[in-house]
């Protein structure tokens, strides 16, 4: 069992490092020390040796002569079935650890790349679905603030989301304001032309109904004042005609009285 050719042959066939223990002492192995010598004459750790020499198999990771390995320790028995040693098979983890590190680094790199791509896509989506519509709505409201209700909202890709609903609500509000302003302008223009027969046909909603009530009240009061002035003017005209007729009658009577007086004076002078 101490012949190196034995463990070398097993290693060549299985690809694993092989060690044969007599009791807990290495008597043959393919594992080399840092100096390049076979690591024989050394002892197995007490915990593992107690487990395996007690008849149980040990599988796990261990450090064998400064090398990290995935290991299996099996009890080694003689022809009588007595446990006289341990058979070890192990695979160095250096290569697997390197591969694992490479896989981790690759996964981190992929995660980072995916994260950047997700951020880029999210930025584009946010720009398209949120930022651009919000800026269009802001520009529209600034135009309304400056009294430019006729400036159209900047075009953007409309989707079935809240920003589109907000844009639609803003446009509906502006359209309603335009309707109110046009109606008020038409009413005032008619009043300025002396036409008080026109009435508003627009349905003013909510607090805006006060405007319609005020416009109707103004129109009614001015119409009443004009009608009153017209009636007064007609009465003055009638009174003026009456005064003129009276003045004519008075003048005629005065003339007749003057003629009578002259006749009377002439008669008196003759006598």
């Amino acid at each position: 069992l101490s012949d190196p050719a034995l463990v070398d042959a097993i290693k060549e066939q299985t690809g694993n490092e092989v060690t044969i223990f007599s009791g807990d002492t290495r008597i043959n192995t393919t594992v080399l020390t840092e100096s390049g010598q076979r690591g024989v004459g050394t002892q197995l750790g007490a915990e593992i040796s107690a487990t395996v020499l007690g008849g149980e198999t040990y599988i796990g990771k261990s450090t064998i002569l400064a090398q990290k390995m995935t290991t299996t320790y099996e009890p080694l028995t003689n022809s009588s079935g007595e446990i006289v040693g341990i058979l070890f098979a192990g695979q160095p983890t250096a290569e697997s650890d390197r591969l694992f590190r490479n896989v981790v680094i690759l996964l981190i790199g992929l995660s980072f790349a995916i994260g950047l791509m997700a951020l880029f896509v999210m930025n584009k989506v946010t720009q398209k679905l949120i930022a651009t519509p919000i800026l269009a709505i802001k520009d529209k409201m600034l135009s309304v603030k400056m009294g430019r209700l006729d400036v159209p909202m900047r075009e953007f890709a409309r989707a079935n989301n809240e920003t589109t609903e907000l844009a639609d609500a803003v446009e509906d509000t502006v359209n309603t304001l335009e309707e109110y302003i046009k109606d008020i302008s038409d009413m005032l223009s008619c009043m300025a032309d002396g036409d008080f027969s026109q009435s508003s046909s627009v349905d003013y909603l909510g607090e805006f109904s006060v405007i319609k009530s005020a416009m109707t009240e103004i129109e009614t009061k001015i119409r009443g004042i004009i009608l009153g002035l017209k009636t007064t003017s007609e009465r003055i005209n009638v009174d003026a005609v009456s005064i003129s007729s009276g003045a004519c009658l008075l003048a005629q009577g005065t003339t007749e009285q003057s003629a009578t007086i002259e006749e009377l004076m002439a008669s008196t002078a003759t006598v």
Side-chain angles (χ1 to χ4, degrees):
L1 295 178
S2 61
D3 184 1
L6 174 63
V7 292
D8 289 343
I10 297 174
K11 178 180 179 178
E12 184 177 355
Q13 292 178 5
T14 62
N16 296 320
E17 300 291 346
V18 180
T19 299
I20 297 175
F21 293 84
S22 176
D24 60 355
T25 303
R26 292 179 178 85
I27 62 173
N28 198 0
T29 183
T30 59
V31 182
L32 304 180
T33 64
E34 293 180 355
S35 62
Q37 302 295 319
R38 295 178 187 270
V40 295
T42 56
Q43 290 184 320
L44 180 62
E47 183 180 352
I48 297 176
S49 62
T51 299
V52 181
L53 292 176
E56 297 182 12
T57 299
Y58 176 85
I59 299 175
K61 289 186 177 182
S62 302
T63 300
I64 312 299
L65 300 177
Q67 298 183 49
K68 293 181 179 180
M69 295 187 182
T70 301
T71 62
T72 299
Y73 293 88
E74 294 280 356
L76 188 62
T77 60
N78 58 17
S79 58
S80 299
E82 297 176 350
I83 298 175
V84 295
I86 300 171
L87 177 62
F88 160 82
Q91 185 69 41
T93 61
E95 181 64 20
S96 62
D97 289 345
R98 185 184 67 80
L99 292 175
F100 178 76
R101 285 194 300 272
N102 291 341
V103 170
V104 170
I105 292 172
L106 179 61
L107 289 176
I108 292 175
L110 287 175
S111 299
F112 183 72
I114 292 173
L116 288 178
M117 185 177 296
L119 287 175
F120 177 78
V121 172
M122 186 177 298
N123 180 64
K124 287 294 185 183
V125 171
T126 302
Q127 183 73 21
K128 179 180 179 181
L129 298 182
I130 299 177
T132 300
I134 292 299
L135 289 175
I137 294 170
K138 184 197 76 171
D139 291 342
K140 178 65 176 179
M141 294 309 296
L142 289 176
S143 298
V144 172
K145 177 183 176 182
M146 300 300 294
R148 296 293 308 279
L149 275 66
D150 58 332
V151 176
M153 184 178 294
R154 190 191 335 154
E155 291 295 329
F156 62 89
R158 303 205 174 202
N160 187 21
N161 57 21
E162 290 79 1
T163 53
T164 297
E165 293 178 1
L166 177 59
D168 292 341
V170 168
E171 289 181 327
D172 289 343
T173 300
V174 173
N175 291 336
T176 300
L177 291 176
E178 286 182 324
E179 186 178 16
Y180 291 164
I181 292 173
K182 183 179 183 304
D183 183 62
I184 295 170
S185 178
D186 291 343
M187 291 284 292
L188 292 176
S189 295
C190 289
M191 291 182 189
D193 293 336
D195 181 5
F196 294 91
S197 63
Q198 300 297 323
S199 60
S200 174
S201 61
V202 175
D203 185 15
Y204 286 73
L205 304 176
E207 297 292 335
F208 292 107
S209 61
V210 177
I211 298 175
K212 183 173 182 178
S213 298
M215 293 291 294
T216 302
E217 185 177 357
I218 290 172
E219 181 186 15
T220 301
K221 287 185 176 181
I222 293 178
R223 186 189 297 118
I225 292 172
I226 292 175
L227 289 175
L229 290 174
K230 182 179 179 181
T231 301
T232 302
S233 177
E234 290 175 350
R235 287 179 180 176
I236 291 174
N237 187 47
V238 171
D239 292 342
V241 171
S242 298
I243 292 171
S244 177
S245 298
C248 289
L249 292 174
L250 179 61
Q252 182 178 355
T254 301
T255 301
E256 291 176 353
Q257 289 178 359
S258 178
T260 302
I261 291 172
E262 287 179 356
E263 290 177 359
L264 178 62
M265 288 179 67
S267 299
T268 302
T270 302
V271 174

